[in-house]
Amino acid sequence: MPELPEVETIRIGLQKYLLGFRIQDIVIRLAKQFTGDPENVIDAEIIGVRRFGKGLVIDLDNKYSLAVHVKMTGQMLFAQQNRTKNKEQRIGNFELPDKYTHVIFALKNKNGGRAFLYYRDIRQFGWIRVVKTDEVKDLPFFRSLGREPLKDLTLEGFEQLVKRAKTPIKLLLMDQAKIAGIGNIYANDALFSAKIHPKRPANSLSNQEITDLFHAIESVLKKSIAAGGASANNYINVLGEKGAYQEHFLVYKKDGKACRLCGEEIKKIRLGGRGTFYCPGCQR
DNA sequence: GACAATGTTACAGT
DNA sequence: CACTGTAACATTGT
């Protein structure tokens, strides 16, 4: 899940449940999704979880970290071990570990409590990498990230990016090297919210439109984080629960429906290879 | 069967 | 060299 609010929800969950646990064992069931030496994190204690764009970093107390990207269908699932029965854990409508569970972390804390962290990924696009904490920022993915909305992306910085680019504004919003964390859902909804057509060349936006868009991005992302992310597809949090933000989508996946503001029919087009939703009445 | 799906990246072309 | 567009990764659901 993918976009900033979903990954942030995962981060909050991991931070809440993993701290103080030590990694006892790692079972890698699909080698291509796990790189680096697992031995470097065995017996290390989890001391924090950070997020950069759509990427996660689980920090350990021995100067190593686990860098994670869940791409489209990756899930991080936490399960306290059931003391009474040694059966699989049921999460939502599936049991763990199942055939899509590709990495399993066995965890133990100081009180002798045991738990598992499962990495589950239907499409197998995601990755987990063991790296020295100092070297996380050198990984190609993290090195290439632009500014973070809600953090270091200022209105002035955003204005500069927008004015300098001639690419369609939606593609700029989704360009991780320029702005980190916005994906297809939030690009669509932020543009509707600011009443800007997704195909508009970035450098054609007025100052007012740039300001509106900046605030629309913040608003949409904050609301989604508050709702626990969007479970429009297969996103769930670390406990297997769905988010609620899909109930508040403005135009994403709303093609054929009436615009909530003007009543015109929401259209779907293709831009940069991605489904793009907008209201022809409101967005110019 | 065809096509699209929250993402990134490699590669071909301009 | 920089930028842009498309295919590819693998699987499921419509």
Side-chain angles (χ1 to χ4, degrees):
Chain A
M1 13 182 169
E3 300 182 44
L4 188 154
E6 290 76 34
V7 179
E8 177 64 9
T9 305
I10 294 172
R11 188 198 67 77
I12 292 168
L14 293 177
Q15 174 86 25
K16 176 172 176 185
Y17 295 110
L18 292 186
L19 291 204
F21 274 104
R22 216 164 263 285
I23 298 175
Q24 257 199 320
D25 189 26
I26 304 178
V27 180
I28 300 166
R29 310 207 301 181
L30 187 61
K32 68 170 181 179
Q33 294 203 266
F34 191 105
T35 51
D37 187 353
E39 285 302 321
N40 286 330
V41 293
I42 297 290
D43 285 336
E45 181 178 326
I46 296 161
I47 56 173
V49 186
R50 296 177 289 159
R51 178 189 60 76
F52 299 97
K54 301 169 195 168
L56 286 167
V57 180
I58 300 173
D59 292 312
L60 301 154
D61 69 350
N62 66 345
K63 310 247 171 142
Y64 275 89
S65 296
L66 289 160
V68 181
H69 200 302
V70 301
K71 295 286 183 82
M72 307 272 267
T73 58
Q75 301 168 335
M76 299 286 279
L77 299 166
F78 175 84
Q80 204 89 42
Q81 192 178 50
N82 189 327
R83 278 171 187 276
T84 50
K85 15 175 200 175
N86 208 13
K87 284 189 66 178
E88 308 91 342
Q89 321 274 345
R90 174 161 281 281
I91 291 224
N93 60 348
F94 52 86
E95 291 190 338
L96 290 173
D98 64 1
K99 68 175 195 172
Y100 304 116
T101 307
H102 304 312
V103 182
I104 304 170
F105 297 86
L107 309 170
K108 192 178 180 181
N109 67 16
K110 292 189 181 92
N111 307 324
R114 291 171 189 278
F116 292 101
L117 176 66
Y118 298 97
Y119 180 69
R120 184 173 185 270
D121 190 347
I122 292 178
R123 285 170 75 177
Q124 308 174 14
F125 292 169
W127 45 260
I128 299 176
R129 189 174 184 108
V130 176
V131 234
K132 288 185 176 156
T133 303
D134 286 347
E135 293 170 5
V136 169
K137 60 181 186 319
D138 300 324
L139 293 179
F141 172 78
F142 292 94
R143 196 178 42 205
S144 66
L145 286 179
R147 296 296 172 91
E148 286 263 343
L150 309 181
K151 287 191 186 160
D152 57 356
L153 179 70
T154 60
L155 175 56
E156 293 69 37
F158 182 63
E159 195 175 315
Q160 291 219 347
L161 284 176
V162 174
K163 287 186 166 168
R164 240 185 282 146
K166 52 187 187 303
T167 187
I169 184 63
K170 178 167 182 259
L171 299 188
L172 174 71
L173 296 186
M174 294 176 64
D175 183 346
Q176 303 300 300
K178 305 266 171 37
I179 304 167
I182 301 176
N184 203 24
I185 294 175
Y186 302 101
N188 278 298
D189 272 14
L191 285 166
F192 171 81
S193 191
K195 298 184 190 286
I196 297 166
H197 194 292
K199 275 188 168 172
R200 286 270 301 283
N203 60 11
S204 76
L205 301 211
S206 69
N207 285 342
Q208 186 60 55
E209 287 175 322
I210 294 173
T211 305
D212 289 349
L213 183 54
F214 180 78
H215 293 307
I217 290 167
E218 291 204 331
S219 156
V220 154
L221 295 178
K222 278 187 189 165
K223 280 181 186 154
S224 183
I225 293 171
S231 295
N233 297 292
N234 87 152
Y235 164 74
I236 47 180
N237 69 17
V238 298
L239 297 183
E241 303 159 337
K242 292 185 172 189
Y245 192 72
Q246 64 281 6
E247 294 160 26
H248 306 285
F249 284 163
L250 303 171
V251 287
Y252 181 72
K253 279 194 170 177
K254 298 277 191 201
D255 46 318
K257 301 234 164 69
C259 169
R260 54 172 59 202
L261 296 183
C262 75
E264 252 196 77
E265 187 178 303
I266 306 294
K267 287 275 185 295
K268 178 176 182 181
I269 56 173
R270 200 148 268 277
L271 217 190
R274 312 300 301 273
T276 297
F277 306 83
Y278 71 101
C279 168
C282 296
Q283 295 172 263
R284 300 296 175 169

